């Protein structure tokens, strides 16, 4: 009787081990498949985001080889920063930045908040006086003495929103 009891316990233990092994093997395979699917989706979403970023940066100096060749600049980041600082320096004028093409309204002057250099000739910028916003297209030139001069091409002032 004792031998048959140990035999039954041994058989039950073996069956439990077999079923446990089978359970964890299937569970591991399922988790691996889920991880693979998740990684595939993440790679696809990263690819989509990269493509969206490339589409958004079609008009940028960094992606325009012809404009870079025209400018003949060694350090493009330094050049962009120099142009940006030259334009933003006009924000210190008591009448506001003259390249917004907007006169000062009361004690609120129009200043350029942010800008993007589109290519070797144009800049797009947004400006505000704290209450009213607008956008401006500016043409810029690099002079012989390496100074930067600007010319306002077009500007748009958004109507004030009533809350």
């Amino acid at each position: 009787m004792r031998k048959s009891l140990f035999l039954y316990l041994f058989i039950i233990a073996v069956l439990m081990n077999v079923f446990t092994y089978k359970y964890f093997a299937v569970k591991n395979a399922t988790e691996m498949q889920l991880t693979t699917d998740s990684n595939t989706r993440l790679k696809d979403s990263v690819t989509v985001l990269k493509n969206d970023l490339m589409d958004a940066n079609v008009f940028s100096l960094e992606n325009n080889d012809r404009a870079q060749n025209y400018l003949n600049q060694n350090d493009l980041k330094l050049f962009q920063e120099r142009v940006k600082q030259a334009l933003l320096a006009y924000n210190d004028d008591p009448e506001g930045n003259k390249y917004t093409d907007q006169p000062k309204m009361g004690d609120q002057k129009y200043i350029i908040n942010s800008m993007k250099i589109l290519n070797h000739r144009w800049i797009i910028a947004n400006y505000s006086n704290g209450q009213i916003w607008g956008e401006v297209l500016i043409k810029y030139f690099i002079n012989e003495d390496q100074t930067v001069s600007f010319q306002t091409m077009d500007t748009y002032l958004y109507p004030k929103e009533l809350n």
Side-chain angles (χ1 to χ4, degrees):
M1 167 125 168
R2 194 173 209 187
K3 282 186 174 184
S4 61
L5 179 65
F6 284 127
L7 180 65
Y8 289 131
L9 289 175
F10 178 74
I11 292 172
I12 290 173
V14 168
L15 286 174
M16 285 182 60
N17 283 336
V18 168
F19 287 124
T20 303
Y21 172 77
K22 184 68 175 163
Y23 169 76
F24 282 112
V26 169
K27 181 180 175 187
N28 189 25
T30 304
E31 286 176 356
M32 290 295 278
Q33 182 63 35
L34 288 174
T35 303
T36 304
D37 292 346
S38 176
N39 285 345
T40 303
R41 279 195 311 271
L42 289 174
K43 286 179 184 176
D44 290 345
S45 64
V46 167
T47 303
V48 167
L49 289 174
K50 276 184 177 178
N51 291 339
D52 287 348
L53 182 62
M54 288 299 293
D55 289 344
N57 283 331
V58 166
F59 294 107
S60 70
L61 188 56
E62 295 90 6
N63 295 332
N64 191 334
D65 292 334
R66 291 183 180 143
Q68 290 176 15
N69 291 338
Y70 178 83
L71 289 172
N72 196 19
Q73 296 293 324
N74 293 333
D75 189 356
L76 202 57
K77 295 284 184 197
L78 183 66
F79 171 77
Q80 288 179 318
E81 187 62 29
R82 188 175 59 146
V83 171
K84 181 178 180 179
Q85 293 305 320
L87 182 59
L88 293 179
Y90 290 99
N91 284 350
D92 296 335
D93 188 341
E95 295 299 312
N97 195 316
K98 65 182 179 180
Y99 295 108
T100 62
D101 234 13
Q102 300 297 327
K104 184 176 177 181
M105 298 177 83
D107 57 344
Q108 299 289 329
K109 65 181 183 175
Y110 284 96
I111 60 170
I112 292 179
N113 300 312
S114 63
M115 58 177 272
K116 180 172 181 152
I117 299 176
L118 299 177
N119 59 17
H120 64 287
R121 191 58 66 212
W122 296 321
I123 297 171
I124 189 166
N126 70 4
Y127 61 90
S128 75
N129 68 353
Q131 297 174 345
I132 302 174
W133 295 84
E135 294 175 348
V136 61
L137 183 65
I138 300 171
K139 196 174 197 180
Y140 73 96
F141 305 94
I142 306 300
N143 302 322
E144 293 292 326
D145 60 352
Q146 295 301 311
T147 59
V148 184
S149 59
F150 302 98
Q151 176 186 357
T152 302
M153 298 301 293
D154 198 7
T155 183
Y156 181 78
L157 190 63
Y158 292 103
K160 187 173 182 180
E161 294 180 11
L162 299 175
N163 293 334

